[in-house]
Each structure stands twice: as structure tokens, then as C-alpha cells.
Amino acid sequence: SGVGTATSSGDVTVATADGGTAGVSGAMVLKTGNAGNGNTGSYTVTTGAATSGVAGAISMTVGSGTSGTGGAMTLTAGESTAASATGGAVTVTAGKGDGATAGAGGAVSISAGVGTSDAGGAVTVASGVGTATSSGDVTVATADGGTAGVSGAMVLKTGNAGNGNTGSYTVTTGAATSGVAGAISMTVG
């Protein structure tokens, strides 16, 4: 877009046109090319730094539909076929609060969808399957407290029920076919 030497720069809009009465709107593809010998190009989405204001947000939203299941959003890291190499990681990190006073870090929230006339969506956190060896670990922990603070609390609870039973809470280790089943340990620090 054009530079605004005194005020704002121009917007940039990349969009496909609306579909007609008997068609669909066009697809949009943003991708880097393949590489025959070497790394493929990276894909970066970044908003600019704001000197005297708030940096711009990045928003990805699936549109609503009037029939069928809502559109899915999938975030998948890359596969590696190299010997002794691991697949790509997926990292979600909130922003740092770097203010001189009371600069709290940003929160990370994962919520399933609301069901207005049926059950709400489920949230599943699972480690990867090890088809030849062990499955991955799952760690849920609060960070250590700083020099003048305490560590964060951890709450595992089921929701309230206005008419009916509340959800149960189950802690179970898996069955061991040729070994000892895992123990359950609760320890006060």
C-alpha cells in the first residue's frame, strides 16, 4: 500500500469475490513452493510494532454456515521422514507483560464451542502415539514463582449443573499387559 507521510498508510485487501446464486466463492491459497534440494520457504504473518499505541491483532476465523457442521480449523506441524528426527513442534505462547509496574503476561485460553440446543464441544489434550515405542508424556504445571511472589494455583473441577448431575472426576492409570500398572501419587511440597 501507499505510504502516508503525515497520517496512515493505505490498507491492503486480498479477497475472492462472493459466489453467485448457484455457486461458491473462490478459494484462497497462500503457500511457498517445493524445493528439490534444500529448505522450502517459510511463511510469516506479523503485525507491525506500535510506538505509541497497541500493536495490531492477528485474527483467524471460520465463517458461519446455515447447514451442516461448522467449518474446521486445523493447525498441524510438519512431518519429518529423516532418520532419528522429530516432527515439527506446535507452540502457543501468550505475550510478555514487560511494563515497569504490574505488567502481567497475557493469558492462553482454550475453549470448546457452545451448544445452544445440545452438549457443548469437548476439549481433548492427548500425547502422541508411539507406534514402536512409548507414547509421549503430558505435563500440566504452573510456573515457579518469582523472587517476590508465589507459584500459581491449579484447579481441576467439573462445572455446576442447574438441573441434573454434575460431571464426575476420574484419575486412572492404564492397564499393563506385561508389566506393572502405573502408580497414582499425590504429594505436598
Side-chain angles (χ1 to χ4, degrees):
S1 67
V3 175
T5 55
T7 58
S8 304
S9 62
D11 297 330
V12 173
T13 301
V14 180
T16 63
D18 296 338
T21 54
V24 298
S25 63
M28 182 176 291
V29 178
L30 296 173
K31 68 182 293 287
T32 63
N34 299 326
N37 184 10
N39 300 333
T40 61
S42 59
Y43 176 59
T44 304
V45 179
T46 308
T47 63
T51 302
S52 299
V54 178
I58 295 176
S59 176
M60 299 180 67
T61 306
V62 178
S64 61
T66 57
S67 64
T69 304
M73 181 179 293
T74 303
L75 178 63
T76 306
E79 176 187 0
S80 174
T81 59
S84 301
T86 58
V90 175
T91 303
V92 179
T93 306
K96 179 181 179 181
D98 206 15
T101 57
V108 174
S109 176
I110 300 176
S111 302
V114 175
T116 53
S117 58
D118 205 338
V123 175
T124 302
V125 179
S127 66
V129 175
T131 54
T133 59
S134 304
S135 62
D137 297 330
V138 174
T139 301
V140 180
T142 64
D144 294 339
T147 55
V150 300
S151 62
M154 182 176 292
V155 178
L156 297 174
K157 67 181 295 286
T158 63
N160 300 325
N163 185 12
N165 300 331
T166 61
S168 60
Y169 176 59
T170 304
V171 179
T172 308
T173 62
T177 303
S178 299
V180 179
I184 296 176
S185 177
M186 300 181 69
T187 305
V188 178

